[in-house]
Amino acid sequence: MSIMLDSANPEDARRARELGFVEDVTTNPTLIAKTGRPPLELLSELVEIVPGHVFYQLTAPSVEARYDQAWEAHEIRPDKVILKIPATTENIAMAARLEQHGIECAITAIASPAQAYLAAQAEAAYAIPYVNRLTRTYGDGLAVVRQIAAILQGTETEILAASLKSVEEVVGAILAGAQHVTLPLELILALGEHEFSRRAIADFDASMHSAKP
Ligand code: E4P
């Protein structure tokens, strides 16, 4: 079970690494565009920052071009790059080809249990449902995660829940059966905070200061 950082910003990656419990980073084309950096140059930097994997999304316009792009990204750091491949039937077939070569793939932007089922048939390492986007579009992204968890039981494909926007949604995704979550830095930091704990700490501090030496 792991918490990953959802960002392409090297500074975020450094801060997340310092927390000591975040090892992997997921990027996507939007997050990479925000940095204004060439994608592969950024990928080369991120794999040096984090101890775990860096997820990198394929964007080329045809399946064959995406297949070539996959090898190009993989060769940057074969032990650390995981390819994010958007969920379509032809892309999942491409992921099956890559997995046969031992290249780890994550099927991303998953919206349905059927897509997750195909991802498992392709022996993809991860299925990535977009929880909040699904809730906004269809009403209940967590229900989709629950169905996917039931379908993937007993397979090697693990659920990495993405598009999570609140602490409650993160907890909901884990309860629904996600083995992993990927979150922006602010949400990772928010997980350890609670008003109740803050009050308890303040009470203990007050007792310490009022205690007689
Ligand atoms: C996951 O890997 C994606 O980067 C991300 O979570 C997509 O969803 P969002 O744009 O709604 O956050």
Side-chain angles (χ1 to χ4, degrees):
M1 183 180 281
S2 53
I3 302 180
M4 305 184 190
L5 171 70
D6 198 24
S7 171
N9 182 327
E11 198 42 47
D12 285 356
R14 281 188 201 92
R15 288 189 57 204
R17 182 195 60 196
E18 282 163 10
L19 294 171
F21 52 78
V22 177
E23 301 212 326
D24 310 285
V25 172
T26 60
T27 69
N28 69 35
T30 308
L31 295 171
I32 288 176
K34 275 188 197 160
T35 70
R37 301 263 308 272
L40 290 182
E41 180 192 292
L42 195 57
L43 178 61
S44 307
E45 184 174 345
L46 289 170
V47 292
E48 296 304 324
I49 297 172
V50 294
H53 295 106
V54 179
F55 289 65
Y56 181 80
Q57 191 160 325
L58 303 181
T59 53
S62 68
V63 175
E64 279 319 305
R66 286 193 287 282
Y67 188 74
D68 293 344
Q69 192 186 18
W71 280 98
E72 201 183 357
H74 170 74
E75 277 158 13
I76 284 182
R77 192 65 192 265
D79 57 326
K80 293 187 88 167
V81 172
I82 294 185
L83 300 167
K84 273 175 90 177
I85 302 178
T88 65
T89 302
E90 64 178 7
N91 272 350
I92 294 171
M94 178 184 62
R97 280 163 69 196
L98 291 165
E99 287 283 353
Q100 280 158 16
H101 288 283
I103 298 181
E104 281 205 297
C105 297
I107 305 302
T108 194
I110 284 191
S112 75
Q115 291 173 316
Y117 171 71
L118 271 198
Q121 299 308 306
E123 299 187 352
Y126 298 93
I128 309 183
Y130 276 11
V131 177
N132 190 274
R133 288 197 202 195
L134 282 168
T135 297
R136 276 182 278 145
T137 312
Y138 301 113
D140 194 352
L142 292 175
V144 177
V145 176
R146 262 190 298 280
Q147 289 181 322
I148 291 174
I151 279 179
L152 294 188
Q153 224 172 16
T155 75
E156 299 291 312
T157 303
E158 298 189 336
I159 301 175
L160 165 55
S163 186
L164 297 163
K165 306 298 176 194
S166 66
V167 169
E168 293 69 27
E169 210 165 40
V170 175
V171 173
I174 295 165
L175 288 172
Q179 286 95 342
H180 315 278
V181 292
T182 185
L183 315 174
L185 186 62
E186 313 75 64
L187 189 47
I188 293 176
L189 298 177
L191 289 181
E193 301 298 331
H194 198 287
E195 182 51 31
F196 175 91
S197 311
R198 291 247 170 241
R199 274 200 305 272
I201 293 165
D203 289 349
F204 289 130
D205 283 352
S207 310
M208 281 286 288
H209 289 114
S210 63
K212 296 212 163 73

